[in-house]
Amino acid sequence: MTRYTVGVDIGTTGTKTVLLDTLGGIVATASRETALHSPAPGFAEADTAQWYANVLESVREVVTVSGVSPAQIGALATSGMVPAVLPVDDAGNPLRHAILQNDARAHREVAELAERLRGTDLVALTGSALTQQSVAPTTVWLREHEPEVYARTAHWVGSYDWVLCALGAPVHVEQNWALESGLFTIDGQTAGAVLQAAALDSATLAPVRAPGTVVGELSGRAAEATGLLAGTALVVGGADHVLSAFAAGVNDPGDALVKLGGAGDILVASDTQIVDERLYLDAHPVPGHWLPNGCMATSGSLIRWFQSLIGGTPLTDLDDEAATRSPGEILCLPYFLGEKSPIHDPDLRGVFAGMHLGHTRADMYRAVLEGIAFGFRHHVDVFGEIGVPFHRVMITNGGSKSTLWKQIHADVLGHEMNPVSGHPGASLGAAVIAAIGTGALDDWSDAAKFITLDAPYTPDPARRDAYDAAYAAWRELSAATTPVSHALARTTR
């Protein structure tokens, strides 16, 4: 039995690859940057040729740097953004650049399909509402604007699925791409009402495969380019946010992850299927388990915006300044890119409230940190309303390096926050799943072997009342300013 596996994460801004020793942990990592293409306003695309080159180069690097014999590397699995949309021909070759999940070109098609689907409960049927992230509106846009591409399309696939195909696997899509696409029902059947509304041929839907499924073998050409052996098993991985949570230990019901990336993600493991229009629903890699989750439009991106606005002061300096300020004195609504869950309102706008001339950048910066934490608390309220337990909470990604911000989250959420030390994210989750799929690891719970939790941050009772009051005022401020935000949004459309 080979003891090493490779995990690859196809991200929006780059590709990250890890080589995992199933007996000892990560032995090598490599990354490559990816260019974002935006040929028109609201467009977000990626070049699949760059994806493929990044994968080949980064896999070769981890093999070379580690010194591990390719004969000891038994499998490779992939992860990536969802739901990217890539039309491919009969041979699995891409017909154009991939259209990414944050692409906004199909806004008119969303409205048209929503009208045709009036009376259909899409949330109950597919697990999600019809939005710009849905795949059907994008296919309609391609039919109208790129008919030659649409006519040649044999299948629609996602980012990490296509990479496996390019390495040697047959065409397929992973179950969470299927779920988030809106083209399939929650139980994995085709969503006939959606296909009919979009005039989409069901034959273009690729077979759905679960994480851990061995779907193919590495081709000779890919083997030569990566340094792996031809015939190395190719294993279905999963969506990046799902595998990041899995690799952070979010496996038992009530386990949760607060992910402080450019956007803000919060995921909770559940043993029951949760459908709520305010949240998203993903399937946990462990069969029969689920990951109801939320995604806020801004998190780290708002912090970086504020940092640039005040001249680029180091975030560590801003943390030190903000730590001396009183909690909840200024309120910040973090809706600077509208808001995704749990409000789903792209026309909301950011707000600072409660300021006077004695306030400084430190007060405003603290309000930014608190406003994002209040957004996560809004999600925790929703989880509580629908009966999803919220017990052990992990915290990851770049923002989790801030001691102040971790403490603010503990105080605002009223839960102990457990930082994951050096969390490599979805690439580790993919490598673990590759090992499970080929028998190098025995059980899904083995993922816990490869994470280390730093000392937890516990809620400070002295700040509880201040944050409870500030959060209540924050919710009131959100409701009160919504009509103004909508009016302003109309003027800038």
Side-chain angles (χ1 to χ4, degrees):
M1 181 70 66
T2 52
R3 58 186 273 192
Y4 295 91
T5 60
V6 175
V8 181
D9 178 28
I10 312 300
T12 305
T13 59
T15 298
K16 184 169 185 178
T17 298
V18 303
L19 178 62
L20 175 69
D21 178 356
T22 57
L23 299 181
I26 293 174
V27 295
T29 65
S31 61
R32 296 291 188 277
E33 293 185 357
T34 300
L36 176 68
H37 296 266
S38 185
F43 286 32
E45 301 182 353
D47 184 356
T48 56
Q50 186 176 39
W51 281 352
Y52 189 61
N54 285 350
V55 171
L56 299 181
E57 293 173 7
S58 60
V59 172
R60 176 170 284 278
E61 181 177 333
V62 296
V63 173
T64 302
V65 168
S66 69
V68 172
S69 168
Q72 289 297 308
I73 302 173
L76 179 151
T78 56
S79 178
M81 67 201 93
V82 287
V85 182
L86 182 60
V88 299
D89 63 17
D90 285 322
N93 299 312
L95 298 173
R96 67 176 322 281
H97 280 181
I99 299 175
L100 304 185
Q101 74 285 351
N102 56 345
D103 186 278
R105 75 186 66 199
H107 54 88
R108 181 172 63 84
E109 289 75 14
V110 170
E112 292 173 352
L113 286 177
E115 181 62 28
R116 292 177 202 162
L117 288 163
R118 181 181 293 182
T120 300
D121 188 344
L122 287 177
V123 175
L125 180 68
T126 68
S128 59
L130 186 71
T131 69
Q132 290 181 356
Q133 268 198 182
S134 304
V135 171
T138 301
T139 67
V140 174
W141 187 94
L142 285 169
R143 183 170 64 236
E144 295 176 355
H145 294 86
E146 298 180 11
E148 70 290 348
V149 169
Y150 187 90
R152 295 175 58 201
T153 298
H155 293 291
W156 309 96
V157 298
S159 58
Y160 51 103
D161 304 315
W162 176 80
V163 167
L164 271 194
C165 296
L167 294 173
V171 172
H172 66 281
V173 292
E174 184 267 332
Q175 65 180 357
N176 275 316
W177 186 94
L179 186 59
E180 294 207 22
S181 73
L183 301 177
F184 295 83
T185 65
I186 295 175
D187 60 3
Q189 305 301 310
T190 56
V194 177
L195 300 187
Q196 182 177 0
L200 189 62
D201 185 353
S202 62
T204 61
L205 303 187
V208 180
R209 299 290 181 255
T213 304
V214 178
V215 285
E217 296 181 346
L218 192 69
S219 69
R221 177 184 174 189
E224 183 178 357
T226 58
L228 298 176
L229 296 184
T232 299
L234 299 176
V235 181
V236 176
D240 52 3
H241 60 295
V242 171
L243 296 200
S244 183
F246 169 63
V250 179
N251 296 311
D252 295 327
D255 285 347
L257 174 67
V258 170
K259 186 180 172 189
L260 302 176
D265 294 297
I266 182 167
L267 305 97
V268 187
S270 173
D271 56 5
T272 58
Q273 190 181 100
I274 304 295
V275 177
D276 189 286
E277 63 183 0
R278 294 169 292 182
L279 301 172
Y280 303 102
L281 177 66
D282 286 288
H284 195 284
V286 177
H289 287 202
W290 299 88
L291 277 171
N293 63 84
C295 179
M296 292 155 50
T298 62
S299 177
S301 57
L302 178 54
I303 290 173
R304 292 297 182 185
W305 169 82
F306 183 80
Q307 181 188 32
S308 66
L309 198 67
I310 62 172
T313 303
L315 295 180
T316 51
D317 292 348
L318 291 175
D319 274 4
D320 290 342
E321 293 176 15
T324 66
R325 303 308 189 196
S326 299
E329 190 167 310
I330 296 175
L331 298 179
C332 171
L333 297 179
Y335 307 143
F336 287 69
L337 289 174
E339 188 54 296
K340 293 185 177 181
S341 62
I343 303 174
H344 300 290
D345 189 342
D347 287 340
L348 291 180
R349 294 295 179 262
V351 174
F352 285 95
M355 297 179 64
H356 57 68
L357 292 179
H359 284 133
T360 68
R361 69 181 189 184
D363 298 289
M364 295 183 70
Y365 178 67
R366 183 172 187 120
V368 168
L369 299 182
E370 292 171 344
I372 297 165
F374 288 151
F376 282 118
R377 180 163 171 176
H378 193 178
H379 283 87
V380 173
D381 285 353
V382 172
F383 288 129
E385 290 171 14
I386 60 179
V388 176
F390 197 85
H391 301 317
R392 190 174 67 123
V393 187
M394 274 65 72
I395 188 166
T396 64
N397 278 49
S400 67
K401 296 176 183 177
S402 166
T403 297
L404 175 62
W405 207 12
K406 285 180 284 195
Q407 186 61 56
I408 286 174
H409 276 89
D411 294 339
V412 169
L413 301 184
H415 286 274
E416 185 176 270
M417 308 300 294
N418 296 276
V420 181
S421 178
H423 186 43
S427 54
L428 172 58
V432 171
I433 286 177
I436 292 171
T438 53
L441 290 173
D442 296 328
D443 191 81
W444 296 97
S445 63
D446 287 336
K449 296 178 180 178
F450 307 109
I451 66 167
T452 301
L453 299 180
D454 291 334
Y457 287 74
T458 59
D460 186 340
R463 288 189 281 268
R464 183 181 61 189
D465 290 345
Y467 275 132
D468 284 349
Y471 173 66
W474 184 88
R475 292 289 300 272
E476 292 177 6
L477 178 67
S478 177
T481 57
T482 292
V484 178
S485 288
H486 288 175
L488 292 172
R490 285 194 294 271
T491 67
T492 57
R493 219 174 254 140

